[in-house]
Amino acid sequence: MHVVAVGGSDAGISAALRARELDPSVDVTVVVADSYPNYSICGIPYFISGEVQPWQSLAHRTLADLEATGMRLRLDSLATEIDVSRRLLAVRDERGHVSEVRYDELIIGTGALPTRAGIDGLDALTPEDGVHVMHSMGDTFALERFLDEHQPTRAIIVGAGYVGLEMAEAFTMRGLTVTQIQRGPEVLSTLDSELGAIVRTEIEQHGVEVLTDSTVVGVEKTDGGVVVRGTRRGEPFSRAADLVLVVVGVRPNTKLLERAGARLGAGHAVVVDRAMRTGLPNVWAAGDGVITHHRLLGETYLPLGTTSHKQGRTAGENAVGGDARFAGSVGTQVVKVFDVVAARTGLRDHEARGVGLAPRTAAAVADDHKRYYPGAQPISIRVTGDELDGRLLGAQLVGRLGTETAKRVDTYATALFAGLTVEQIGELDLSYTPPLGSPWDAVQVASQQWSRTRTKEPNS
Amino acid sequence: MHVVAVGGSDAGISAALRARELDPSVDVTVVVADSYPNYSICGIPYFISGEVQPWQSLAHRTLADLEATGMRLRLDSLATEIDVSRRLLAVRDERGHVSEVRYDELIIGTGALPTRAGIDGLDALTPEDGVHVMHSMGDTFALERFLDEHQPTRAIIVGAGYVGLEMAEAFTMRGLTVTQIQRGPEVLSTLDSELGAIVRTEIEQHGVEVLTDSTVVGVEKTDGGVVVRGTRRGEPFSRAADLVLVVVGVRPNTKLLERAGARLGAGHAVVVDRAMRTGLPNVWAAGDGVITHHRLLGETYLPLGTTSHKQGRTAGENAVGGDARFAGSVGTQVVKVFDVVAARTGLRDHEARGVGLAPRTAAAVADDHKRYYPGAQPISIRVTGDELDGRLLGAQLVGRLGTETAKRVDTYATALFAGLTVEQIGELDLSYTPPLGSPWDAVQVASQQWSRTRTKEPNS
């Protein structure tokens, strides 16, 4: 039996590892488009910042580690076509030579591609011109080479999501002056703006210029550097820099599966069921190229590394005859930006309302540990619950580094997974010692605030 | 309506606060045996260490804060008798004058008292002699006074549980040489010895002498200081010090309720139902003096501040006509000892076996965050699950300070509360960013290790 996984990132490798783990008699081949299987794409900002060196340490596992599991890897090999009826995968190597790989089960984990946000002139400019995206190790090397060779001093980052914010920190650590341009009214638009504002304050205090409500419409190379033009609150604006990084999101990379006849769904991602079946015989798919089962939203598109690992593992298990189901995401995310940690799980008000729920969100600020013990810091928390049945719908947290905010969001994430009510958060038996918590943990102070305001305004 | 709470610590104050919050028309009186209502007893080690100053900052709320809620406090007043049929509480003030307080609903939160472990000579010695216990602010002042006036250089701590370990750190910070004496084979006997050993190494590296397998049988005052005698692995031993602290646990302080006719149960604590009813009309009880409903064990005795808060809140709500139930403990505990954090929740193997379950425990070591990002540290985790139905039964974790170990135990605690299986821990959508986690969080690495060993040894 031969299982072939396409894609050397989280989904493909997780699938291959799981297949080999469950059935060491199965041949497993992973087809990888570049030379960098199992690299931590999430770690790239820390390589650029200089915190992680050399770049090889970004590998979750080395090539030798992977091969030691018994899987084979075909590097620098692009999967170009699936012949579903004959179970053949066409693969083009770096010299352009195309060969066919016979498979019994095929798992597609081709991930996503960076979007360009319809910015004029972007396609014509290259890393050599100082215009960068950041999605692969190739992008990373191009950026690092540009930083080394051109010693830029001014950077513009288009986008202020997770990667954009991490890169603002990375460039600042490298000594660049950074302007961050964000289309919406606040950075980190995945959080309510009250919390995004805390993150903005943090990056501004580290010298980052933040332009919100600003849409970039074009970019061009001039003698004075790369010039970004756009509109800001109805007025035109422009900024020049030595380096422009565009990090405005991703779109699913579905070409291979689309051409084989797979169906597209939410976010133009490939439709899969919870077993990670594509509907094409013997073809499974996982990761940033496919839809995500969300435990509160149903089928959606929400590309996250954690989800790719879980979906990949599910696909790998099922490809060797297992009966696994992807349990679903609740959209848990966290980012560290300088000394602030921002996290969320579940739904925000407008997202819950969008699927017909009756959400209400309450805000609270609670110390990470007893104030009398040195170093206590406030955590800002917003809890969203369903006004009708009291169910927890989501939570957002922002705290200083060291406040265990990243793992406090996990308490909410676990409660969401289990379908607990907001009231039940207050009943949880959470750990307490004065240097690290409070008798009512911060997550409970916030849930009780939600309950308190609910009592006061029934059915509001 | 007059609600009277007896006890100025977690249970009594939580009850009074909840009653006033829900019904501001209700008169609430709290009868407090000393002058220190709502003090954080858990914080005392940090006052002794010098990290928290002045002692007044140990108050969760000041007297003024408490009175601002509308409750009245009768300080230095010892409740001596309950006349259930006439709804009268006898209270003796500091001058010995006894008065009667009429109540409609009475909530008893008299807590626990330190045990003496049957050590010969202990009762005859006082703080002035250099022999201390640590349970009240009065004990604390006596210890602090002794430290100031006698400038001791050698301390013996009898007991190596949570408080004993915290006090070993506190005395070390104060410059004392510490010997810690533990009856069992390892410190922190609430954790498996493999994890307790990590804590022992930590305190030894900070200069603490640890004597395990050592039972103290007597203590006496000599010219050379206070001498502790005992047996260690069958051989007699003795140690002399300027100061001896005995912290070997607590027993429920039930006298008041016992004399009123309440029934005693697990651990000789007062039996209550989940509404915190004692069975005596109009008398409720909560905190370290009563039994604890444990979600896995049923009724047990497990005195913890977090439980006292929740039980007190439940009693306060019900005393003013509410219909609350204490949802139950899962025994979540955490302690910081120097730079190590040790936590547990749920059951260990022998505890689960004791109630007829079929537990198995698996061990794993997983980094707190991606190893390539600076500062990654291993967390040692032991996961206990039920071999028959796969249910999570408990988890124990030890990690360095800064590894978010205290809030990682909360993920397990939440899963336990919700009745999840070990397998489902691996399905949880937990947060990930390289500086603060991994795509499979450490708690999932450990749960997967449990599942992996289960598959290999079915029904073992």
Side-chain angles (χ1 to χ4, degrees), chain A residues 13 44 84 159 169 208 219 227 242 254 309 343 357 363 391 416 443:
Chain A
I13 297 292
I44 293 172
V84 173
E169 179 179 352
V208 175
V219 56
V227 174
D242 310 312
T254 58
H309 276 83
L357 299 170
R391 193 167 44 124
L416 274 175
V443 307

Side-chain angles (χ1 to χ4, degrees), chain B residues 7-19:
Chain B
S9 196
D10 298 339
I13 298 292
S14 293
L17 287 168
R18 186 61 173 163

Side-chain angles (χ1 to χ4, degrees), chain B residues 410-450:
Chain B
D410 286 355
T411 299
Y412 290 116
T414 305
L416 274 176
F417 182 96
L420 301 189
T421 63
V422 178
E423 192 77 26
Q424 285 178 306
I425 302 287
E427 297 176 343
L428 293 174
D429 185 14
L430 304 179
S431 73
Y432 164 53
T433 183
L436 296 164
S438 299
W440 299 105
D441 190 75
V443 306
Q444 298 177 307
V445 171
S447 70
Q448 288 174 349
Q449 178 60 20
W450 189 91

Side-chain angles (χ1 to χ4, degrees), chain B residues 139-161:
Chain B
D139 299 335
T140 306
F141 297 138
L143 175 56
E144 181 65 19
R145 196 178 319 120
F146 187 87
L147 289 166
D148 279 350
E149 291 178 2
H150 296 268
Q151 298 287 319
T153 61
R154 302 166 302 164
I156 290 171
I157 300 175
V158 182

Side-chain angles (χ1 to χ4, degrees), chain B residues 276 286-287 290-293 307-316 326:
Chain B
M276 310 318 293
V290 307
I291 61 167
T292 300
H293 174 72
T307 298
S308 296
H309 276 83
K310 293 186 181 80
Q311 289 182 338
R313 183 179 161 99
T314 302
F326 172 54

